[in-house]
Amino acid sequence: MSARARIVGWMLAVVGLALAVSIFATWTVLLARLDVRMNLEFTNEAEKLRRYAATAHDPHTGRPVSDVRELLTGYLAINSPDRWETFFSMVDGRADRITAVTPPARLDTDGDLIKVLAAATEPAYGDTESVEGTVRYAVIPVRVAADPRTGHFVAAVFYDRHRGEIVDAVRVLGLSALAALGLAGAAGWFVAGRVLAPVRLVSQTAEQISDSADLTRRLKVTGDDDVAALAATFNHMLDRLERSFAVQRTFVDDAGHELRTPITVIRGHLELMGDDPDERAETLALVTDELDRMNRIVDDLLTLAKAEQPGFLAVEEVELADLTVSVVAKARPLGDRRWRVDQVAEARVQADRQRLTQALMQLVVNAVRHTMDDDLIAVGSALRDGRAELWVRDSGPGVAPADRERIFRRFVRGSGRTGAHDGAGLGLAIVRSIAEAHGGGVRVADVPAGGACFVMTLPLART
């Protein structure tokens, strides 16, 4: 069963239960009120009869009524029953008079009921059955001092007729509830479809992506509810997947591109290697050098691949002054150069110390490759315009303006290198990846006195 059907089903179950409870409560309350209303009606009739008996006079003599039959007949003449009610009188155990309003059923002709009513010596209430269903009655004994006969006033209410009205009302209420439930189901189905549309789109997009290599599809995010949050999360996941697949493809392409040459060189020399020990030693040295170069290429490619993934940086608090001085100390054995610390920034940044050291050392190695003995290589750090800057500059031939952006791409080598110093062209790409992972960047700055100056910029606070 689909989520849409489950949602609508549960909604209809809850609404149906609520309607059923409300209808049952209405039924119970109406029946209880009917009983109360009938009891009040009987009490009211008894009170009216008392008041009439206390004030009734014979119209011919003007004296109080002394005949019980005349008293009851006079009361019936002035007191008309309400709908589905009937009044009648009894004298000496026999039915006497009945109201002029024709009742749904004649009770004064029921001999068994008359016997029960005639036996009442005080006001009593009861139920009886008739052709019109249950009848609720009240019998009130009446005596007149001057008349030895016993009279009874009987008020009866056709209970089933009143109950039938309640049944009809509850039936209409139930039918209305069913209609409302149907409308609620239709509206709920429509609304659930609209609300779950992004979820279905997520499912369809995921299915399409699983059947193809296209990771560029995205969901349209509208609103700020939970479904919109789901769509945004799904888009973020697709972003990461797309980046991961792109990194994977780039890694495979780069590895195939760069490792093909040393493998070809190694295979060619091994195929041509003869039995001469000197030739074997020379070939072994060349193969070892190529294998070392392959190892460096693989390490660099892995670094570039990791730079695109979460967890690439182990962030801590780094003192820029200590970092600057330590890089110069580590760089001195790389070559006979004039090493210098230009400037140190007395500040701390949230960064990965090992990655920053790796980037600066790569820039230093790059500077060594492009300088000669006794040339200047300087390292420095400073705070400028709310950002931290780390740089490595040298007094070498510098970088042509046309190459200043291009050299940071993968497998791009700048001009001015000698064959002995050729690398894979990944060093500056690694520097750029490390800088961008910190939220900064790297550029080649102008040096009026000549040479090259590579500047890394870092934010003082990472967001």
Side-chain angles (χ1 to χ4, degrees):
M1 184 182 293
S2 65
R4 185 182 188 181
R6 288 199 302 271
I7 291 173
V8 175
W10 277 108
M11 182 200 72
L12 290 179
V14 172
V15 173
L17 179 61
L19 289 175
V21 170
S22 65
I23 291 173
F24 178 76
T26 302
W27 165 267
T28 304
V29 169
L30 289 177
L31 287 181
R33 289 186 176 181
L34 177 59
D35 292 338
V36 171
R37 191 170 72 249
M38 288 186 175
N39 292 334
L40 291 176
E41 181 67 21
F42 290 146
T43 302
N44 184 52
E45 289 299 329
E47 184 62 26
K48 288 194 296 183
L49 178 59
R50 267 190 217 98
R51 290 199 301 266
Y52 177 79
T55 60
H57 289 79
D58 188 332
H60 301 292
T61 63
R63 295 180 180 180
V65 176
S66 59
D67 186 282
V68 68
R69 184 171 182 270
E70 183 180 348
L71 175 67
L72 291 174
T73 300
Y75 181 71
L76 291 177
I78 66 170
N79 190 28
S80 297
D82 294 332
R83 187 176 61 161
W84 295 327
E85 291 182 356
T86 186
F87 302 148
F88 65 92
S89 63
M90 298 171 54
V91 177
D92 275 346
R94 293 187 298 275
D96 186 49
R97 295 282 190 273
I98 190 170
T99 56
V101 179
T102 302
R106 293 290 295 268
L107 301 179
D108 57 323
T109 59
D110 186 343
D112 294 335
L113 177 62
I114 295 300
K115 290 180 181 180
V116 173
L117 297 175
T121 58
E122 59 183 16
Y125 302 90
D127 294 333
T128 188
E129 295 300 322
S130 71
V131 294
E132 292 296 331
T134 301
V135 178
R136 187 162 295 179
Y137 64 83
V139 56
I140 304 171
V142 179
R143 290 182 179 276
V144 176
D147 191 345
R149 294 176 299 177
T150 301
H152 291 84
F153 172 75
V154 180
V157 177
F158 290 86
Y159 179 82
D160 280 356
R161 287 292 184 95
H162 288 283
R163 187 175 180 274
E165 286 187 329
I166 295 176
V167 170
D168 291 341
V170 172
R171 183 181 294 112
V172 171
L173 184 62
L175 293 175
S176 301
L178 286 177
L181 196 62
L183 291 176
W189 184 265
F190 174 75
V191 173
R194 293 291 299 273
V195 171
L196 294 177
V199 179
R200 290 196 301 273
L201 185 57
V202 168
S203 176
Q204 294 170 0
T205 303
E207 185 176 357
Q208 292 172 358
I209 290 174
S210 65
D211 295 337
S212 66
D214 182 17
L215 295 175
T216 61
R217 291 176 57 87
R218 294 295 182 271
L219 301 177
K220 183 178 180 181
V221 180
T222 57
D224 56 357
D225 55 5
D226 294 339
V227 177
L230 172 64
T233 302
F234 186 77
N235 286 341
H236 180 65
M237 181 191 70
L238 288 179
D239 291 338
R240 292 187 60 180
L241 282 175
E242 186 177 8
R243 286 196 299 269
S244 298
F245 276 89
V247 169
Q248 184 184 43
R249 285 193 297 267
T250 302
F251 179 82
V252 172
D253 293 343
D254 291 347
H257 175 269
E258 280 301 309
L259 297 181
R260 186 180 295 112
T261 299
I263 290 175
T264 302
V265 172
I266 291 173
R267 175 180 293 175
H269 281 81
L270 289 178
E271 290 176 351
L272 297 175
M273 184 176 64
D275 296 331
D276 182 41
D278 293 336
E279 183 181 355
R280 284 177 174 272
E282 181 181 353
T283 301
L284 181 60
L286 187 145
V287 168
T288 301
D289 183 68
E290 288 297 319
L291 289 175
D292 290 339
R293 190 161 76 91
M294 288 175 61
N295 185 63
R296 289 193 301 272
I297 292 173
V298 171
D299 288 342
D300 290 345
L301 289 174
L302 287 175
T303 300
L304 289 171
K306 290 178 182 178
E308 302 289 338
Q309 303 298 323
F312 175 63
L313 301 179
V315 179
E316 59 180 326
E317 195 174 71
V318 178
E319 291 188 1
L320 295 180
D322 180 61
L323 175 67
T324 305
V325 174
S326 66
V327 167
V328 174
K330 293 176 181 179
R332 290 184 184 278
L334 296 179
D336 187 12
R337 306 292 190 271
R338 288 184 291 121
W339 298 97
R340 179 186 301 173
V341 175
D342 274 344
Q343 182 180 348
V344 294
E346 297 295 338
R348 298 180 179 182
V349 295
Q350 294 294 319
D352 186 330
R353 182 184 180 91
Q354 297 299 323
R355 294 297 183 188
L356 291 183
T357 300
Q358 179 183 5
L360 289 173
M361 289 300 296
Q362 183 63 55
L363 293 176
V364 168
V365 169
N366 194 62
V368 171
R369 288 176 179 173
H370 290 82
T371 55
M372 306 296 291
D373 290 346
D374 205 35
D375 280 345
L376 172 68
I377 298 179
V379 181
S381 59
L383 298 181
R384 293 169 183 166
D385 299 327
R387 299 176 69 85
E389 290 190 353
L390 299 167
W391 66 84
V392 175
R393 66 180 182 89
D394 60 60
S395 58
V399 181
D403 293 337
R404 290 184 179 181
E405 285 295 330
R406 189 176 63 87
I407 57 176
F408 291 104
R409 302 173 191 166
R410 299 184 183 194
F411 306 114
V412 174
R413 300 173 178 85
S415 59
R417 290 187 176 209
T418 63
H421 296 142
D422 277 350
L426 294 174
L428 293 180
I430 292 175
V431 174
R432 186 177 206 170
S433 296
I434 294 174
E436 291 178 349
H438 282 85
V442 62
R443 71 181 191 279
V444 179
D446 292 324
V447 181
C453 180
F454 290 82
V455 181
M456 288 177 56
T457 59
L458 305 174
L460 291 178
R462 298 184 73 244
T463 57

